[in-house]
Amino acid sequence: MKLKNNKGITLTTLVITIIILLILSSITVFGGMSLIKRANVESLKTNMLLIQAEAKAIAEEVNFRENALNTEDQDNETKINAIRAELLEGQTQVSTDATIKNKMNFLGTEEDLSNYYALTQEALQNMHVDTKVPEGEYYVVEYNFESLDVKVYYTKGYNYKGTTYHALSDLEEIKD
């Protein structure tokens, strides 16, 4: 019986093995990056949906309390302002803050910002939204207290295929 002189793998076999490993690892990396992007947009949408639900509850409470006021009372404007100040605690009116106002330029310059409120970290905690917003970025809520319509925006936005989306309604349109 003759033993073969087996000295190990050939250089060709080694190169082919390395090429196959590189192909598999690149597929895994790109697949993982896609999953991370999808998770980031889903996390942002979830936070914005939580904010929308809490903001809608606040809008309903404001509407209820304002409708309960005596219509003949001359001091209603003061009472309405007090109700809104109490229920919107921790929220900054965008029209009164130049820094936040500049961040909202994606809406257009003609937009009336009096019903837009930026959420501070305290307001987010009061809304049970456990997220940290980067310095200089804001979640912003547009309240319509009469129709109880609430819109949520994120000033940083989410970049998808070259377009930046700021509104929750726009983010919900993204399908991957």
Side-chain angles (χ1 to χ4, degrees), residues 12 18 28 33 38 53 56 88 91 107 125:
T12 308
I18 290 173
T28 303
M33 288 173 40
R38 195 169 330 141
K56 190 156 182 93
L88 299 173
Q91 299 185 35
L107 290 173
Q125 288 172 346

Side-chain angles (χ1 to χ4, degrees), residues 48-174:
M48 292 175 84
L49 284 168
L50 286 170
I51 291 168
Q52 183 182 43
E54 291 290 331
K56 190 156 182 93
I58 290 170
E60 289 173 354
E61 182 67 20
V62 167
N63 186 286
F64 174 76
R65 288 189 188 183
E66 288 178 1
N67 287 335
L69 293 175
N70 183 351
T71 56
E72 297 173 8
D73 192 346
Q74 300 296 327
D75 201 27
N76 273 352
E77 191 67 33
T78 304
K79 290 178 181 178
I80 287 172
N81 289 336
I83 290 169
R84 290 184 182 186
E86 174 191 344
L87 293 173
L88 299 173
E89 182 179 355
Q91 299 185 35
T92 304
Q93 192 170 16
V94 172
S95 61
T96 63
D97 188 309
T99 304
I100 302 171
K101 196 174 186 177
N102 289 336
K103 291 275 187 183
M104 297 297 292
N105 60 3
F106 58 85
L107 290 173
T109 56
E110 301 302 317
E111 190 73 31
D112 175 23
L113 299 175
S114 61
N115 288 327
Y116 289 77
Y117 290 83
L119 305 178
T120 62
Q121 199 64 47
E122 174 192 356
L124 288 170
Q125 288 172 346
N126 291 342
M127 292 179 153
H128 312 291
V129 178
D130 188 26
T131 187
K132 298 286 185 211
V133 181
E135 187 71 31
E137 300 298 340
Y138 304 92
Y139 286 103
V140 176
V141 178
E142 177 188 6
Y143 290 98
N144 185 327
F145 296 112
E146 287 75 36
S147 69
L148 302 179
D149 186 34
V150 172
K151 295 179 184 170
V152 181
Y153 302 92
Y154 184 50
T155 57
K156 182 177 180 182
Y158 181 78
N159 193 341
Y160 179 75
K161 294 186 179 178
T163 304
T164 303
Y165 298 92
H166 296 275
L168 174 60
S169 56
D170 295 337
L171 285 171
E172 290 174 333
E173 301 294 321
I174 295 177

